[in-house]
Amino acid sequence: MKQMKNILAFIGLIAIVSTLIFAVQSNEEEQPTVNGSESETTDKNVADTYQISAIEIPEDLNFAGEAVPQEDPEIMERVDREFLVNTYWQSNALLLMKRANKYFPIIEPILKKNGIPDDFKYLAVAESGLQNVVSPAGATGFWQIMRGTGREYGLEVNDNVDERYHVEKATQVACDYLNKWKDRFGSWTLTAAAYNAGPAGIQKYMDIQQVDDYYDLLLGQETGRYVFRILAIKEILSDRDKYGFQLEEDDMYKKVPTFTVEVDTAVTNWADFAALYEINYKVLKRHNPWLREPHLNNASRKKYTIEIPNKGYYRVGSTGK
């Protein structure tokens, strides 16, 4: 009996304490704020500082001087998609702008020398982001050249050397390829599409669908977006302030000044070679990415031109020997 009384007393105590706590909380909620004003919320509206809006599309879109049919609503939806995707993927756009400052001065004169419209530098951006990348299919370098195509157009491609990674030589091959297919298709826009899908693929679609204009073709997802993506990249990189990208000259990537050295023998170890010029293997490869192994066989005694950076631009530690 005594135990039962204790239990009931404990339950009663809990009830009293709970009532007091509730009363205190209710009183606090009813108290007026200082000076009788309502307390300010700590929540902030993101829209106060960050505005997301539709993109104003230029009225004179063209690729290599060939006009885009902007009166067609289906075409404009596809244009709009690429402008939105490439404008609002800000980190990627910034990187493309920074890299373009470094590599466009290398690419532009080669295009001009070969009669290729300047707009094709944006094709390289669309293909690789101006990086020496390798696709799942094996296309390699800034211009995403396949092994067989590289060899067909005179590039050396083997275990020691792969000139698809050589920006100048790969750009020359791209120019030869583009000029060949411009002669066939008669249109720079179709030539750009053929660069992505292959000339045989574009011709097949044209024959089946009985049209001869890129903008009239029903293509697969990748090639169907390809030229539109180039158009968006061209406009955004050409007028970055208009699209909200604030970059100063100091923000840009720049090419390190170099000089060249000719090599016509085998090289046992490129790290030892690099040390002769007070750089390391990493820096040597950065300027000569077409060197694919730590050595060079060169049984044929072919002459190679090696690019060496001027002194003072890189941190070079001890050799570890």
Side-chain angles (χ1 to χ4, degrees), residues 98 101-102 248-256 286:
K98 288 168 176 276
N101 188 73
K102 180 178 181 180
E248 303 295 335
E249 184 61 28
D250 289 344
D251 297 324
M252 298 298 193
Y253 300 152
K254 299 175 178 62
K255 189 177 186 302
V256 170
R286 180 179 177 85

Side-chain angles (χ1 to χ4, degrees), residues 92-102 236-237 240 243 245 247 252-253:
N92 185 65
L94 285 167
L95 284 170
L96 296 181
M97 292 169 189
K98 288 168 176 276
R99 293 181 193 137
N101 188 73
K102 180 178 181 180
I236 295 164
L237 267 62
R240 57 179 183 260
Y243 297 97
F245 294 95
L247 285 169
M252 298 298 193
Y253 300 152

Side-chain angles (χ1 to χ4, degrees), residues 230-249:
I230 295 171
L231 287 168
I233 291 171
K234 168 189 169 182
E235 293 298 327
I236 295 164
L237 267 62
S238 299
D239 196 358
R240 57 179 183 260
D241 288 344
K242 176 180 176 181
Y243 297 97
F245 294 95
Q246 304 298 315
L247 285 169
E248 303 295 335
E249 184 61 28

Side-chain angles (χ1 to χ4, degrees), residues 66 78 123 127 177-178 181-182 184-228 230:
E66 298 174 1
R78 294 161 71 187
L123 183 146
E127 283 287 333
Y177 185 92
L178 292 167
W181 296 115
K182 171 58 164 57
R184 172 172 172 175
F185 291 113
S187 158
W188 286 118
T189 307
L190 281 171
T191 299
Y195 197 95
N196 179 257
I202 292 298
Q203 189 63 57
K204 181 184 75 171
Y205 283 117
M206 290 170 64
D207 292 342
I208 292 172
Q209 299 175 32
Q210 300 180 25
V211 294
D212 59 3
D213 189 303
Y214 172 82
Y215 299 104
D216 291 327
L217 284 169
L218 178 62
L219 299 165
Q221 170 86 341
E222 183 179 346
T223 310
R225 293 181 62 182
Y226 189 67
V227 171
F228 294 95
I230 295 171

Side-chain angles (χ1 to χ4, degrees), residues 55 82-91 93 232 236 243-245:
I55 303 296
E82 300 308 321
F83 270 80
L84 288 169
V85 168
N86 288 282
T87 299
Y88 284 114
W89 189 7
Q90 295 98 330
S91 59
I236 295 164
Y243 297 97
F245 294 95

Side-chain angles (χ1 to χ4, degrees), residues 22-306:
F22 177 80
V24 170
Q25 290 177 335
S26 298
N27 185 57
E28 288 177 348
E29 291 173 356
E30 294 171 359
Q31 291 296 317
T33 56
V34 178
N35 297 329
S37 62
E38 294 183 357
S39 59
E40 294 183 358
T41 179
T42 57
D43 293 337
K44 292 184 177 180
N45 190 342
V46 174
D48 291 340
T49 56
Y50 182 61
Q51 300 293 321
I52 302 172
S53 62
I55 303 296
E56 182 181 350
I57 307 298
E59 295 180 356
D60 57 347
L61 284 181
N62 72 87
F63 177 73
E66 298 174 1
V68 178
Q70 291 179 255
E71 69 282 358
D72 187 320
E74 188 270 343
I75 296 295
M76 289 309 296
E77 284 189 22
R78 294 161 71 187
V79 168
D80 189 54
R81 174 184 182 176
E82 300 308 321
F83 270 80
L84 288 169
V85 168
N86 288 282
T87 299
Y88 284 114
W89 189 7
Q90 295 98 330
S91 59
N92 185 65
L94 285 167
L95 284 170
L96 296 181
M97 292 169 189
K98 288 168 176 276
R99 293 181 193 137
N101 188 73
K102 180 178 181 180
Y103 292 112
F104 277 0
I106 300 172
I107 294 171
E108 288 166 348
I110 301 173
L111 296 177
K112 183 176 181 180
K113 180 184 73 174
N114 287 275
I116 303 294
D118 191 64
D119 281 0
F120 276 89
K121 66 190 179 187
Y122 300 106
L123 183 146
V125 178
E127 283 287 333
S128 66
L130 299 178
Q131 297 181 97
N132 272 316
V133 295
V134 180
S135 78
T140 297
F142 278 33
W143 293 93
Q144 290 290 276
I145 298 170
M146 296 295 290
R147 178 183 291 264
T149 303
R151 286 174 171 168
E152 178 186 350
Y153 282 84
L155 295 181
E156 182 177 353
V157 182
N158 55 48
D159 291 340
N160 266 193
V161 170
D162 189 340
E163 291 181 331
R164 292 177 295 171
Y165 291 94
H166 193 298
V167 177
E168 290 90 343
K169 291 185 178 182
T171 302
Q172 181 59 54
V173 166
C175 289
D176 294 340
Y177 185 92
L178 292 167
N179 272 323
K180 177 179 179 179
W181 296 115
K182 171 58 164 57
D183 289 342
R184 172 172 172 175
F185 291 113
S187 158
W188 286 118
T189 307
L190 281 171
T191 299
Y195 197 95
N196 179 257
I202 292 298
Q203 189 63 57
K204 181 184 75 171
Y205 283 117
M206 290 170 64
D207 292 342
I208 292 172
Q209 299 175 32
Q210 300 180 25
V211 294
D212 59 3
D213 189 303
Y214 172 82
Y215 299 104
D216 291 327
L217 284 169
L218 178 62
L219 299 165
Q221 170 86 341
E222 183 179 346
T223 310
R225 293 181 62 182
Y226 189 67
V227 171
F228 294 95
R229 184 176 178 220
I230 295 171
L231 287 168
I233 291 171
K234 168 189 169 182
E235 293 298 327
I236 295 164
L237 267 62
S238 299
D239 196 358
R240 57 179 183 260
D241 288 344
K242 176 180 176 181
Y243 297 97
F245 294 95
Q246 304 298 315
L247 285 169
E248 303 295 335
E249 184 61 28
D250 289 344
D251 297 324
M252 298 298 193
Y253 300 152
K254 299 175 178 62
K255 189 177 186 302
V256 170
T258 61
F259 61 96
T260 59
V261 174
E262 291 187 344
V263 171
D264 60 1
T265 63
V267 176
T268 305
N269 190 313
W270 283 116
D272 290 337
F273 180 92
L276 296 174
Y277 297 95
E278 300 181 31
I279 57 175
N280 57 30
Y281 179 72
K282 179 183 76 171
V283 173
L284 180 72
K285 280 294 297 291
R286 180 179 177 85
H287 286 272
N288 303 275
W290 50 274
L291 298 172
R292 303 313 297 164
E293 292 187 315
H295 60 274
L296 180 68
N297 295 331
N298 201 13
S300 65
R301 301 296 296 270
K302 180 178 177 179
K303 184 180 292 186
Y304 294 95
T305 300
I306 310 299

